[in-house]
Amino acid sequence: MALRFYNTLTQQAEIFSPLQDNVVRMYTCGPTVYNFVHIGNLRAFTSQDILRRWLRARGYRLDHVMNITDVDDKIIRNAAAAHKSIFDYTEGYTKAFLEDTATLRLERPERLVKATDHIDDMASAIHKLEERGYTYRSDGSVYYRIANFPEYGKLSHNDFSGIRAGARVDVDEYDKADARDFVLWKAQKEGEPGWETPLGPGRPGWHIECSVMAMKYLGETLDIHAGGVDLIFPHHENEIAQSEALTGKPFVRYWLHSEHLIVEGQKMSKSLGNFYTLRDLLEKGYSPEAVRYLLASVPYRKKLNFTFDGLKAAATSIERLRNYKIRLETSKFPEGSNEKMTERTRAAQNAFEAALDDDLNTAEALAAVFEYIRDTNTAMDSGEFRAGNVQEALDYLARFDAVFDVLCPSASAAGLSEAEIEALVAERSAAKKAKNFARADQIRSELAEKGVVLEDTKEGVRWKRL
RNA sequence: GGCGCGGUAGCCAAGUGGUAAGGCAGAGGUCUGCAAAACCUUUAUUCGGGGGUUCGAUUCCCCCCCGCGCCUCCA
């Protein structure tokens, strides 16, 4: 089954193949670094991480560009309030963003690019748009005239044909000829940061950075452009208008948009008190893997209802996966190999791949893994699962984890060393042999307090950290 | 109003024109010094409501109800 993605542009699932060879050139809209990213942002970035990993699993090489918006109204406002330059102000949140995404095990894109490093490129692009007659000036600012781009609206599927240039709307406030026109270059105002360019002093509008940086690094036509659904209009619509006006070529072949996350059934907002950053959740004691699992477990085009029950369920689900892996690694199985198990593994692998090929259906992919685990656990209990089947099962888990990446626990800061744990385990075994169960239980609870769980099995005691 | 997404068991959630995946939680059981892990059984005659098409619809069509997003810079 071929890899397919739902394309916002065509409103259909389409078979994916890159324009050139096996390299996927993709661009994703990164953060505006005026604050810590919240779990809604991270849902989108997690979807993109799953996308990245699955493309690689399917044999593609990636050239992925993500932008960091480090100049915009909110940044200017907040930096001024903090009495900092926008550079000092955004530096801290850029660093925090990189830390948070690393904590969530999100792969770094091949290129991370900042808007402020590309001011000249943007000014040139705007100048070129002026030459081509797509713009007009007003009070030192440059606007894009959407009336000159007939295809405007093709991504968001809005019909703007009724809007005529010259039908002035909110003239006093915006100085725009048309309500849908958008700013390419903002004239510098008193006390605001600005750049000297042939366009005059000012700063870029939001949309131009993505068009310019995407095409600078990836060429005039990208394979994939991804972001949250809220960016479809106006941001991505405007990117198309800018880019295609510049090149006359299709800007993006596959537009992928992830749905929003809601919290306990409601829109996440600071006023409702249900606004969370990753840092908030870690402080409450949840693991990064649990957050990652929850964000990844709902297919990206579905709204994700983020709940604390769900977060706990995610943590328990991860435990089940890890316990299974530990069982594979530590148990003794009968000699030989069972061909039926090999076939079962192959079927599970096929189901997993088919699910992700189908527009990254992560829920179905997880179902394939859990069904396999239940079946092989049963086979282990009955003795049908043989030593010769261990490696294929571990390989399957590895392929699962190459995408979901939740099996390896995050390093806990404190705790006992392995040697200390082993010593206590040995002491407890001796106490048990001597029927000193009081001491045995005492050691169990001591270790439990330090996050180490003991399990007595036929093959002896095994322990794991929580 | 326009465009778009969705309403499936206590919760999260997959799915298909042919009779409901998976996870979590709950109940009972096997195993166990206790526990853990694991397994087994059990939890939707039913997929927001009402019509229609069909041999047959949760899945297609129509209407209605409810929730959500976007419609000037929010993933």
Side-chain angles (χ1 to χ4, degrees):
Chain A
M1 191 173 158
L3 176 58
R4 296 187 310 155
F5 295 128
Y6 181 88
N7 188 347
T8 306
L9 189 64
T10 59
Q11 299 179 295
Q12 285 177 357
E14 297 176 353
I15 292 176
F16 175 77
S17 80
L19 201 55
Q20 290 173 8
D21 308 320
N22 69 333
V23 179
V24 177
R25 289 161 308 128
M26 76 178 203
Y27 184 91
T28 57
C29 290
T32 300
V33 281
Y34 69 101
N35 208 333
F36 295 111
V37 289
H38 55 71
I39 54 174
N41 298 316
L42 290 170
R43 198 270 167 112
F45 297 137
T46 302
S47 302
Q48 291 156 14
D49 186 61
I50 299 293
L51 169 63
R52 278 184 57 93
R53 289 167 181 258
W54 189 240
L55 285 168
R56 266 218 323 281
R58 277 316 202 189
Y60 296 111
R61 284 195 298 120
L62 293 170
D63 191 355
H64 173 190
V65 176
M66 178 188 269
N67 68 305
I68 290 184
T69 301
D70 58 351
V71 53
D72 92 320
D73 290 347
K74 285 190 291 284
I75 288 171
I76 291 168
R77 186 191 66 208
N78 290 9
H83 303 292
K84 286 183 174 180
S85 74
I86 61 168
F87 300 104
D88 290 340
Y89 184 80
T90 56
E91 191 183 8
Y93 287 114
T94 303
K95 188 161 168 281
F97 169 72
L98 296 175
E99 286 169 4
D100 288 346
T101 49
T103 302
L104 259 198
R105 307 181 182 187
L106 306 181
E107 294 181 343
R108 281 281 276 273
E110 280 64 33
R111 310 173 206 244
L112 272 168
V113 295
K114 292 182 182 179
T116 56
D117 289 339
H118 298 78
I119 301 292
D120 288 343
D121 295 318
M122 290 188 244
S124 310
I126 293 167
H127 181 63
K128 202 169 162 193
L129 284 170
E130 288 194 308
E131 287 178 339
R132 297 190 167 213
Y134 284 95
T135 68
Y136 58 92
R137 289 194 179 230
S138 177
D139 289 338
S141 292
V142 182
Y143 295 92
Y144 188 101
R145 190 187 300 279
I146 68 146
N148 291 3
F149 188 74
E151 291 185 295
Y152 195 77
K154 68 180 176 181
L155 180 68
S156 56
H157 304 286
N158 283 317
D159 181 6
F160 295 108
S161 59
I163 293 168
R164 300 262 180 280
R168 297 176 73 90
V169 180
D170 289 343
V171 175
D172 295 336
E173 195 178 344
Y174 293 107
D175 295 325
K176 293 192 290 192
D178 183 309
R180 308 285 172 174
D181 288 347
F182 58 92
V183 68
L184 293 164
W185 187 256
K186 290 187 177 186
Q188 185 167 21
K189 288 187 198 150
E190 191 62 35
E192 282 187 355
W195 284 261
E196 281 300 336
T197 71
L199 299 169
R203 60 191 162 92
W206 175 36
H207 313 294
I208 192 68
E209 69 177 79
C210 288
S211 289
V212 166
M213 295 193 289
M215 292 196 292
K216 172 168 183 171
Y217 296 106
L218 299 174
E220 294 180 336
T221 299
L222 326 183
D223 289 309
I224 293 175
H225 191 134
V229 286
D230 56 315
L231 296 181
I232 296 171
F233 189 88
H235 185 53
H236 290 164
E237 197 74 73
N238 292 351
E239 284 185 46
I240 290 174
Q242 295 164 340
S243 306
E244 299 190 357
L246 282 168
T247 67
K249 295 176 185 164
F251 176 45
V252 171
R253 302 174 63 234
Y254 302 87
W255 284 98
L256 274 54
H257 291 99
S258 55
E259 252 299 346
H260 276 179
L261 165 156
I262 55 178
V263 175
E264 309 280 355
Q266 291 184 295
K267 182 175 180 175
M268 181 168 71
S269 73
K270 285 183 177 163
S271 59
L272 285 171
N274 64 357
F275 185 96
Y276 301 107
T277 63
L278 179 62
R279 288 152 199 253
D280 294 333
L281 299 176
L282 300 185
E283 271 175 30
K284 288 174 186 283
Y286 296 100
S287 70
E289 306 94 272
V291 177
R292 178 178 168 87
Y293 183 99
L294 180 56
L295 295 181
S297 63
V298 177
Y300 77 99
R301 287 203 300 124
K302 292 280 205 172
K303 275 197 239 319
L304 189 159
N305 188 11
F306 185 96
T307 65
F308 285 97
D309 280 349
L311 199 49
K312 286 175 198 136
T316 311
S317 298
I318 292 171
E319 272 309 297
R320 183 168 159 80
L321 295 163
R322 288 179 182 166
N323 286 331
Y324 176 75
K325 189 176 180 211
I326 290 168
R327 186 176 191 186
L328 278 173
E329 289 168 337
T330 61
S331 294
K332 294 270 184 290
F333 299 103
E335 291 297 307
S337 185
N338 184 340
E339 180 57 28
K340 272 202 240 170
M341 285 296 110
T342 304
E343 278 170 30
R344 182 68 189 85
T345 308
R346 202 176 292 131
Q349 178 65 31
N350 288 341
F352 182 78
E353 290 175 0
L356 290 175
D357 275 352
D358 183 13
D359 199 26
L360 305 174
N361 190 335
T362 49
E364 206 169 297
L366 286 171
V369 173
F370 281 106
E371 281 181 75
Y372 174 77
I373 287 178
R374 191 191 55 234
D375 286 355
T376 47
N377 263 322
T378 303
M380 288 176 195
D381 288 349
S382 70
E384 286 179 74
F385 190 94
R386 303 301 173 83
N389 298 116
V390 168
Q391 193 53 50
E392 64 205 26
L394 285 171
D395 287 346
Y396 180 46
L397 276 189
R399 290 186 188 195
F400 152 77
D401 210 42
V403 179
F404 284 88
D405 201 358
V406 293
L407 291 180
C408 180
S410 294
S412 52
L416 299 166
S417 72
E418 279 196 30
E420 289 170 320
I421 293 167
E422 295 289 359
L424 284 167
V425 167
E427 188 190 340
R428 174 170 168 279
S429 296
K432 268 176 63 179
K433 212 161 218 169
K435 302 259 190 244
N436 182 359
F437 294 122
R439 177 60 186 152
D441 289 348
Q442 188 189 9
I443 291 172
R444 180 197 287 287
S445 59
E446 267 179 38
L447 285 170
E449 273 173 34
K450 289 173 178 162
V452 177
V453 174
L454 300 185
E455 293 172 11
D456 294 334
T457 73
K458 289 194 183 82
E459 287 88 32
V461 184
R462 71 188 178 202
W463 58 268
K464 66 187 180 191
R465 295 180 199 269
L466 276 187

